[in-house]
Amino acid sequence: MINTSSSFVPVDRELSAWIRLAFESAYPEAGSVLARISTVPTMSPEFGDYQCNDAMNLARALKIKPRVIAERLIAVAGPHPGVARMEIAGPGFVNVFLEDSWISDRLAAMAGAGGLGLPSDGAGKTVIVDYSSPNVAKPMHIGHIRSTVIGNSLYRIHSALGYRTVSDNHIGDWGTQFGIIIMGYRHFLDQKALETSPIEELERVYVKSYEKSREDADWLNECRRELVKLQSGDEQNVALWKDFVALSLREFEGIYRRLGVSFDIVRGESYYRDKLAGVVRQLEEKELARESEGAMVVFMEEDKLPPCIVRKSDGGYNYASSDLATVASRVDEFGPDRIIYVTDERQQLHFRQIFAISRKLGCSVSLEHVWFGLMRLPEGTFSTREGNVIKLERLLDEAESRALAIVTASSPDMPEERRREVARVVGIGAIKYADLSQNPQTTVTFTWEKALALDGNSGPYLQYAYARIASVRDKFAERFPGIDPDGFPIVFTQQIERTLALKLLKFPEAVTRAAQACKPSTVADYLYDLAQSYSTFYQNVPFLKAEDGVRESRVRLCGITAKVLKSGLDLLGIETQERI
RNA sequence: GCGCCCGUGGCUCAAUUGGAUAGAGCACCUGACUUCGGAUCAGGAUGUUGCAGGUUCGAGUCCUGCCGGGCGCGCCA
């Protein structure tokens, strides 16, 4: 068999291509619908391993009975080395039963292929992922975790599929809040507090100044004046602002380090401030924007969107103009094929407007808004002013200390340094997994219990499965020194081995589907399903005491499972350890 | 009022985008061998997929109307 790494094609694609060919020769008149023909995994082994449902879909267009189409299809299909037999069932399902030897052969090829057989769908393409984007002078809280973790995973997934990826942390460093902060800083600052916990202190003076601005019109005017001074380059205010930004970035950096997140570029809104006037001028020249009540506004009736203000009546620029400038700048500099924004749901309308206006300005890049539901507390929404914000730092601390308690209980002999390291990996993994394993587009009610789950469908469950495999590998090496299981064929003596092998082969499917839908949860679901199959295998089938050949085959399956788990968790930004 | 989204066992969530008998976890109950890690495994119970219509071979998924909830809708980001 020729199984060089470059020749590996994901199983679903290979079978889809093969069955599509059969359809094309059987019904060339079907035309464009042929392109969409595919095979999908079955829900139950009684229906085979993969199934094709397109005989029924074509039946309407061709005005032929679906079972007739299915029969013709099977008659016309050329032999495929992987297909043992096909059956027609129900209204016209075509069920495909795979050959055991082909499954093990493909699995060996996948394990040997670079990137575990992930297709290079993104080769030659560039995607920018804009995520996390916290605001200066405010601490990161649990509301920031979703953008950070989901965005980082999308970045990793697209990189793994061959995209040139650029991650950008679009920091909120240029808004109207700075007038308020500067006034708060000048009048309410506690120097000592600033030294011990700078961001907390900046936030405190911000809140105080904000409250005052709501009841004191003079104060509000002062704030506005300070903002104008900052934006027109006043030396003192610019120096203050730079301090705020530097302090915040340092604090963010600490969180990112703990989360294993890094960015290719970190450009706040301020980076684009010189381009704002140009964008608005362009909109005016193209007659896309016009003055209304003193402001410059893009009216978008034909897009069925409400008007979008791109310059305020006081002449200042806002979020809309800033994001428009950002798009243009990114297009110029990176020439991306796609730009993905990961933010919460409240910005849906804003981005629809930005995307529509960008298109009017001639931008043809695929602009995508990946939004997620807000994080809430059981008692309702949280806000700085309510004082019920849970800081991200505290969440991470809590996760690690809970994990440490469990590690200490289960592995009392482990040196403390190791225990702390394991607790870090497990605790952070639990938090990330909790957010990544579910559909982002739902409102999440935060509970400690859920965020820090360590059993069942959780990050640690996957990490635990991985660690047990590492243990198997070590025991095998100890008792059978010098034997390389990879030199033995993979054989199926029990159903669970075949099931596990088939699941392993679906890794590329899960990853490509996750990229298509921009949903890391697809990968998380897949990994959990895989780990469950592995646990069943592990618990019910002996490895080391199995007979020669079977033993090596099983250990080899373990090894491949470990590879897939590790790679998959890596796509989620979750670390693994050989011992936990 | 208009727009976007959500509603699935007691709780938290899946369901490969219209496919076959709606799957997991938590919690609850029962069990796991002189074998590799019990953060595990095997088994049990739990459902009119918010309600009512419609589309078709086939609907949790699509269309219409209600009910309930979240978010947004010209000078915040």
Side-chain angles (χ1 to χ4, degrees), chain A residues 297-318:
Chain A
V297 180
V298 179
F299 290 91
M300 317 179 73
E301 289 91 352
E302 71 276 18
D303 300 287
K304 292 185 175 155
L305 292 171
C308 178
I309 293 179
V310 292
R311 193 179 68 209
K312 299 185 284 182
S313 52
D314 67 2
Y317 298 96
N318 62 2

Side-chain angles (χ1 to χ4, degrees), chain A residues 425-435 450-454 459-460 463 574:
Chain A
V425 168
V426 169
I428 302 295
I431 286 181
K432 287 190 171 187
Y433 188 87
D435 250 321
K450 206 187 344 166
L452 304 177
L454 299 174
Q463 292 168 324
I574 296 175

Side-chain angles (χ1 to χ4, degrees), chain A residues 185-333:
Chain A
Y185 185 91
R186 292 232 167 97
H187 294 84
F188 308 129
L189 191 75
D190 176 342
Q191 191 63 43
K192 226 175 230 167
L194 186 72
E195 280 157 24
T196 49
S197 49
I199 303 308
E200 239 167 278
E201 178 58 10
L202 285 182
E203 191 198 25
R204 189 186 67 82
V205 302
Y206 166 75
V207 170
K208 202 159 172 190
S209 176
Y210 175 82
E211 279 166 0
K212 195 167 168 65
S213 73
R214 298 204 52 151
E215 41 201 52
D216 184 343
D218 291 343
W219 185 269
L220 183 60
N221 279 331
E222 284 294 321
C223 291
R224 289 196 177 130
R225 210 166 304 151
E226 294 301 336
L227 178 68
V228 172
K229 275 166 71 182
L230 169 66
Q231 295 188 332
S232 54
D234 172 83
E235 237 173 75
Q236 279 191 359
N237 281 10
V238 168
L240 271 185
W241 169 76
K242 279 186 178 163
D243 275 353
F244 300 157
V245 173
L247 287 170
S248 292
L249 285 178
R250 197 175 313 150
E251 178 147 317
F252 297 157
E253 195 44 51
I255 299 271
Y256 291 138
R257 202 175 311 116
R258 290 180 75 178
L259 287 173
V261 167
S262 62
F263 296 89
D264 298 315
I265 54 178
V266 179
R267 289 182 185 168
E269 290 158 12
S270 65
Y271 179 88
Y272 306 94
R273 62 185 189 255
D274 295 336
K275 305 179 196 295
L276 302 177
V279 170
V280 175
R281 199 179 318 119
Q282 204 185 342
L283 286 167
E284 281 184 74
E285 281 165 6
K286 298 202 171 184
E287 293 182 0
L288 295 168
R290 62 184 159 85
E291 204 182 303
S292 166
E293 294 171 40
M296 194 55 66
V297 180
V298 179
F299 290 91
M300 317 179 73
E301 289 91 352
E302 71 276 18
D303 300 287
K304 292 185 175 155
L305 292 171
C308 178
I309 293 179
V310 292
R311 193 179 68 209
K312 299 185 284 182
S313 52
D314 67 2
Y317 298 96
N318 62 2
Y319 188 36
S321 37
S322 175
D323 269 354
L324 288 168
T326 304
V327 171
S329 169
R330 285 172 175 166
V331 169
D332 284 348
E333 184 173 351

Side-chain angles (χ1 to χ4, degrees), chain A residues 1 92 134 140 184 197 205 235 247 256 273 278 347 363 378 407 431 454 468 483 486 493 500 528 542:
Chain A
M1 292 268 168
M140 289 181 80
S197 49
V205 302
E235 237 173 75
L247 287 170
Y256 291 138
R273 62 185 189 255
Q347 303 195 30
C363 169
V407 179
I431 286 181
L454 299 174
R468 287 202 299 193
I483 295 178
D486 288 349
T493 61
L500 180 62
Y528 180 64

Side-chain angles (χ1 to χ4, degrees), chain A residues 8 12 18 63 88 133 149 302 442 465:
Chain A
F8 185 81
D12 62 328
W18 171 70
K63 297 204 164 62
I88 302 170
S133 310
V149 162
E302 71 276 18
T442 51

